[in-house]
Amino acid sequence: MFIPIQMPRFVWPSPGVADAHRDLCINQAVVFIEDAIQYRSINHRMDSTSLALYRWHYSRICQGVLSFTIFLILSLAFIETPSSLTVTSDVRYRQAPWEPPCGLTESVEALCFLVFIADVSMKSYLIGWREFLKNRWLLAYIVALVVSLTDWTVSLSFGCRETLRVRRLVRPFFLLQNSSMMKKTLKCIRRTLPEMASVALLLFVHLCLFTMLGMLLFMREKDDRKDQERRLYFQNFPESLTSLLVLLTTANNPDVMIPAYSKNRAYSIFFIVFTVIGSLFLMNLLTAIIYNQFRGYLMESIQSSLFRRRLGIRAAFEVLCSLEGAEIHPLVVGVKPETFLQVIQKVKMSLYCKEAIIQTVGSHAGGLMSADQFQSVFEELDKDAIKEHPPRPAYPSTVLQRAQSVFGHRYFDYLGNFVAFGNIVSICVFLVIDADKLPSERDDFILGVLNCFFILYYVLEMLLKVFALGLKGYVSFFSNIFDGILTVILLVLEISTLAVYRFPHPGWKPEMLGLLSLWDMSRLVNMFIVFRFLRIIPNMKLMSLVAGTLLDLVRNMRAFAGILVVVYYVFAIVGIGLFQGAIESPPGNSSLVYANGTAPCGTFEQLEYWPNNFDDFAAALVTLWDVMVVNNWQVFLDVYTRYSSPWSKLYFVAWWLVSSIVWMNLFVALILENFIHKWDRRGQQQPVPGSCQAPYQVTVELMFRDVLEEPTEEELVAKLIQHPHLHLCR
């Protein structure tokens, strides 16, 4: 039910004032609709000057400059001391990197700070003083800038020779505050932590209990041969706890069990029970809790986003109603379609949404649009249109029409898939046959002939599809664009190969003539052919569903990826501060130093993990990635305990908890939600036969649409009345 907002008695304005009032109302409605599209808050100034500044600030150019500035200041970590500008991070072979002179990166930082100061000043002015004091993110924004500028000043005062730069740790905040979805995700993670803490506590009790049991089981013995389990893994409480923590991730299984298992097979029960309880039960229970709790909190965030959208649209309706009241009657409640179309033409939004909305309003039966009708028009914002394919060309000849139907049929695609599969099989056969041969010993005659045949078929297939679908119809399919680009690349490579090395013949040997050898050219051709085989994915329903889930995941996980970037950045900077220079080049600077067996098997030195270090930012990122994967991560625990401090384990365990436990489980939750959503609605994206309406796919905000509640009239009206800057005229 529509609830009107009670306002003071209306007074008819003069013509000049009426025109200004009309322009202001239209501009207010435009901004409200743009706020709804972007899920922004509508609590900002509404006068003409502020509206112009607001739209300019949130324009593509300004937001693009801000995004580039954030990218630039984050990228400085690769150039600043210690610089990552070396070919390798291996401490044995790394040359002295180029170090930027003092003031170079600091000047770039100063420019970035100016952009951030302008951004926070604009946001603070637009929302007003009261809203500014309520906005914790803006307050934190100012604090981050003050800390960064103070540290920047100190850095210049010391001639850029200071060892600690606090502002590097603050930089990821600029990325966080610029994304509303990232803020919501971070809030959801923060609210999920208490539920995770209960399972984490149980996991810690499990670790401590089995640590004490292990130390009691593997007591010190006189015979050193029977004492290997204790010496290697249960020497003291910290070592025992670390060994079982690593076993929880199965990284050191079965190594940790072998010394005791060799002595008595009954000892295997201890390790099996520990792994079953810890890895199979508790870790998976933690995943379930994270998925369930995070999904609930994410639904709340999406619910608030839905409320923001509905509130922005309702606010636009109210200001347009006040406009109609000025022109028709003060008690009029509704919006003329002509006024709405005038507003929607000025709104910055996707073209397909604008066209769909205009088409919907154009079919309106006349009269004024009610609040429900006004709201329903914007349901198109909740959809991503799937591209419509243009009609096929019409040929007058019967023969051409039959050829068009044959080459445009799906069976022709199946034939192309079969040929591509045959090409892949031929490449695999020759890879197996020539696996142990040197390039100079290979005879690429048969494979060269086969590749010529297949590439000619691909070119013919592309031309026939263009004939059947038309050029516009051909490029309207992503799979055809993918096929066409690879086919053109393959054709260019094949022509280049034939021009340099002539046609294949027996004894066709690779030799260096020009830019690339024949072997390099053949490898390039074969790699592109392998990529081209991915064309079969859209033709297999289940595989297409999985591939679609992955693509949606890439589109919808920007907030999660942003959180991961922030965590990586902070831990990399902290790691550089803690462990820079801890790993030194071995004596002799050679990988043969430990060939005589002086390094124990499975250690950092024996495995030659020298490139994994914290000597620069890029190397730190790769090292953190290797630890996140948890394969052999006990090697890093051991080496930094020996070269740095036993307390270094806390750093790596903290990183394991944040990356492998929290973020990876959130990533699994997102994959499950995307896949379940697609699986349950896999038949709903098909267009209705005979319908001219374009099919749609649902966005991530509508992933939980079925369980979300529409805000009530009372909630919307109450929120509008509380608006600090909106004063409606009716």
Side-chain angles (χ1 to χ4, degrees):
M1 183 183 68
F2 174 73
I3 300 177
I5 299 178
Q6 299 297 326
M7 302 302 296
R9 186 174 61 86
F10 180 78
V11 179
W12 292 99
S14 62
V17 175
D19 291 339
H21 169 69
R22 177 180 176 82
D23 292 339
L24 177 61
C25 287
I26 289 178
N27 289 332
Q28 287 177 344
V30 168
V31 171
F32 281 141
I33 292 174
E34 291 177 349
D35 287 340
I37 293 172
Q38 300 298 331
Y39 300 101
R40 292 194 297 253
S41 171
I42 65 170
N43 293 334
H44 50 77
R45 298 179 187 271
M46 301 306 301
D47 58 277
S48 299
T49 304
S50 298
L51 289 176
L53 286 174
Y54 185 84
R55 295 194 75 193
W56 175 80
H57 181 261
Y58 285 102
S59 64
R60 287 187 177 182
I61 295 177
C62 287
Q63 292 303 303
V65 170
L66 182 59
S67 299
F68 176 75
T69 303
I70 295 171
F71 170 78
L72 184 62
I73 198 169
L74 291 177
S75 301
L76 289 178
F78 292 98
I79 304 173
E80 292 173 326
T81 305
S83 173
S84 302
L85 302 179
T86 56
V87 176
T88 178
S89 62
D90 195 316
V91 295
R92 299 168 298 176
Y93 314 124
R94 183 179 56 206
Q95 302 294 325
W98 173 81
E99 300 294 350
C102 182
L104 178 61
T105 57
E106 286 74 15
S107 300
V108 177
E109 279 186 293
L111 294 176
C112 295
F113 291 150
L114 289 176
V115 174
F116 294 145
I117 291 172
D119 178 52
V120 71
S121 302
M122 185 70 70
K123 288 178 178 177
S124 303
Y125 167 76
L126 290 174
I127 66 174
W129 179 250
R130 290 183 181 179
E131 292 297 316
F132 169 75
L133 294 178
K134 299 177 185 177
N135 196 316
R136 296 180 180 178
W137 281 100
L138 277 181
L139 294 173
Y141 198 175
I142 293 178
V143 171
L145 280 173
V146 170
V147 170
S148 299
L149 286 170
T150 303
D151 187 65
W152 179 82
T153 306
V154 171
S155 180
L156 288 179
S157 301
F158 281 90
C160 308
R161 295 186 182 90
E162 81 285 5
T163 56
L164 178 64
R165 296 188 180 183
V166 180
R167 65 183 183 277
R168 292 183 179 179
L169 293 173
V170 180
R171 287 173 186 169
F173 176 82
F174 301 127
L175 176 63
L176 276 177
Q177 64 81 30
N178 196 48
S179 171
S180 59
M181 193 61 190
M182 209 177 295
K183 295 175 187 176
K184 288 183 174 66
T185 305
L186 190 64
K187 183 179 179 181
C188 293
I189 294 174
R190 181 176 56 83
R191 297 179 64 181
T192 308
L193 289 177
E195 286 78 10
M196 293 170 53
S198 59
V199 181
L201 181 61
L202 184 59
L203 199 60
F204 180 72
V205 172
H206 168 70
L207 274 172
C208 291
L209 177 63
F210 273 83
T211 298
M212 290 184 286
L213 289 176
M215 293 184 69
L216 291 172
L217 278 175
F218 310 116
M219 298 291 289
R220 185 169 184 176
E221 299 183 19
K222 293 181 180 180
D223 190 352
D224 289 341
R225 291 177 298 179
K226 297 181 179 181
D227 200 29
Q228 287 186 350
E229 185 71 37
R230 187 197 67 83
R231 288 189 296 103
L232 294 176
Y233 302 107
F234 291 89
Q235 190 169 6
N236 51 52
F237 189 83
E239 290 293 334
S240 304
L241 190 64
T242 302
S243 298
L244 291 181
L245 177 63
V246 175
L247 179 60
L248 197 64
T249 65
T250 70
N252 60 352
N253 185 65
D255 299 358
V256 69
M257 181 180 69
I258 292 301
Y261 183 56
S262 299
K263 186 170 64 173
N264 190 328
R265 69 177 69 215
Y267 283 124
S268 63
I269 298 175
F270 169 82
F271 297 98
I272 292 173
V273 171
F274 173 82
T275 305
V276 168
I277 296 175
S279 299
L280 299 185
F281 289 150
L282 294 180
M283 294 296 286
N284 288 318
L285 178 62
L286 186 62
T287 300
I289 289 176
I290 290 175
Y291 171 70
N292 185 60
Q293 296 296 327
F294 183 77
R295 185 180 189 273
Y297 294 135
L298 188 60
M299 276 189 358
E300 291 182 15
S301 296
I302 301 301
Q303 180 74 56
S304 66
S305 295
L306 178 65
F307 183 83
R308 279 190 173 189
R309 172 163 287 183
R310 298 295 183 257
L311 183 64
I313 295 172
R314 181 56 186 268
F317 175 79
E318 291 295 336
V319 296
L320 292 179
C321 278
S322 68
L323 180 62
E324 305 301 349
E327 295 182 351
I328 302 175
H329 193 275
L331 299 180
V332 166
V333 178
V335 177
K336 290 193 295 184
E338 297 81 7
T339 305
F340 177 83
L341 292 176
Q342 183 182 356
V343 170
I344 208 67
Q345 291 292 351
K346 300 179 66 175
V347 174
K348 297 176 182 178
M349 61 191 305
S350 300
L351 182 61
Y352 71 85
C353 274
K354 182 177 289 189
E355 291 176 350
I357 290 174
I358 291 175
Q359 184 179 1
T360 303
V361 175
S363 61
H364 191 67
L368 299 178
M369 298 174 63
S370 66
D372 292 337
Q373 291 173 329
F374 193 90
Q375 197 75 253
S376 64
V377 167
F378 288 94
E379 290 180 358
E380 300 296 331
L381 297 176
D382 298 334
K383 306 171 184 176
D384 278 343
I386 300 176
K387 192 175 182 179
E388 284 187 299
H389 304 296
R392 297 183 177 184
Y395 295 106
S397 172
T398 306
V399 176
L400 293 179
Q401 291 175 1
R402 290 181 178 177
Q404 183 185 32
S405 63
V406 169
F407 299 128
H409 200 275
R410 66 177 184 276
Y411 287 150
F412 187 65
D413 283 336
Y414 296 158
L415 176 62
N417 293 337
F418 180 76
V419 173
F421 178 73
N423 197 354
I424 291 292
V425 170
S426 66
I427 292 175
C428 291
V429 168
F430 282 96
L431 285 176
V432 172
I433 293 174
D434 297 336
D436 297 327
K437 295 181 180 179
L438 294 173
S440 58
E441 298 173 353
R442 298 171 185 248
D443 187 352
D444 292 330
F445 166 61
I446 299 178
L447 186 59
V449 172
L450 289 175
N451 281 345
C452 285
F453 166 76
F454 285 118
I455 290 171
L456 287 176
Y457 175 82
Y458 297 151
V459 174
L460 180 63
E461 180 191 32
M462 180 180 66
L463 295 176
L464 291 175
K465 281 189 175 181
V466 172
F467 161 76
L469 304 175
L471 183 59
K472 292 184 178 179
Y474 180 84
V475 299
S476 67
F477 292 88
F478 174 77
S479 58
N480 286 342
I481 296 175
F482 179 77
D483 271 358
I485 292 175
L486 289 182
T487 300
V488 171
I489 293 174
L490 287 171
L491 182 62
V492 171
L493 285 174
E494 190 65 23
I495 292 175
S496 302
T497 302
L498 297 179
V500 176
Y501 299 101
R502 301 183 182 179
F503 287 93
H505 54 272
W508 208 37
K509 300 291 184 181
E511 48 185 322
M512 193 67 182
L513 296 175
L515 185 63
L516 293 173
S517 68
L518 177 59
W519 173 236
D520 292 330
M521 301 283 280
S522 300
R523 284 194 301 170
L524 278 175
V525 169
N526 292 336
M527 283 190 290
F528 281 115
I529 288 173
V530 171
F531 278 118
R532 195 180 184 279
F533 187 65
L534 296 176
R535 57 172 283 167
I536 70 167
I537 290 177
N539 299 117
M540 302 179 67
K541 290 186 178 180
L542 186 57
M543 190 182 296
S544 179
L545 180 66
V546 174
T549 303
L550 292 177
L551 291 176
D552 283 348
L553 195 64
V554 172
R555 287 195 295 264
N556 299 335
M557 69 171 297
R558 285 176 295 182
F560 291 86
I563 297 293
L564 186 63
V565 167
V566 169
V567 174
Y568 259 94
Y569 201 98
V570 171
F571 270 85
I573 295 298
V574 172
I576 292 172
L578 294 176
F579 308 121
Q580 183 186 355
I583 306 297
E584 297 180 352
S585 177
N589 198 29
S590 171
S591 60
L592 301 177
V593 171
Y594 296 100
N596 57 2
T598 56
C601 182
T603 60
F604 185 90
E605 294 84 358
Q606 188 269 332
L607 294 171
E608 297 190 353
Y609 281 6
W610 302 107
N612 292 299
N613 53 66
F614 289 90
D615 290 350
D616 59 70
F617 187 73
L621 294 178
V622 176
T623 304
L624 290 175
W625 170 264
D626 292 337
V627 176
M628 187 181 77
V629 177
V630 300
N631 185 33
N632 272 356
W633 74 297
Q634 72 276 10
V635 175
F636 299 98
L637 293 174
D638 170 69
V639 71
Y640 282 99
T641 298
R642 290 187 285 110
Y643 283 88
S644 180
S645 167
W647 294 101
S648 63
K649 292 179 180 178
L650 295 178
Y651 170 84
F652 290 100
V653 172
W655 170 246
W656 169 71
L657 288 172
V658 172
S659 61
S660 295
I661 301 300
V662 178
W663 193 88
M664 288 301 293
N665 280 309
L666 292 176
F667 185 65
V668 170
L670 185 63
I671 291 178
L672 288 174
E673 200 59 50
N674 271 272
F675 184 78
I676 292 171
H677 182 268
K678 267 192 167 295
W679 181 266
D680 291 341
R681 294 160 178 78
R682 60 188 184 277
Q684 297 182 10
Q685 293 184 3
Q686 302 298 327
V688 179
S691 174
C692 60
Q693 185 178 5
Y696 292 94
Q697 60 187 10
V698 185
T699 59
V700 65
E701 286 80 10
L702 270 294
M703 190 180 298
F704 303 101
R705 188 66 184 87
D706 295 340
V707 294
L708 294 180
E709 296 181 359
E710 284 287 340
T712 63
E713 280 295 319
E714 293 82 359
E715 292 173 336
L716 295 175
V717 171
K719 196 68 175 178
L720 282 177
I721 293 176
Q722 297 172 5
H723 195 288
H725 305 288
L726 180 63
H727 305 287
L728 299 176
C729 302
R730 67 177 185 85

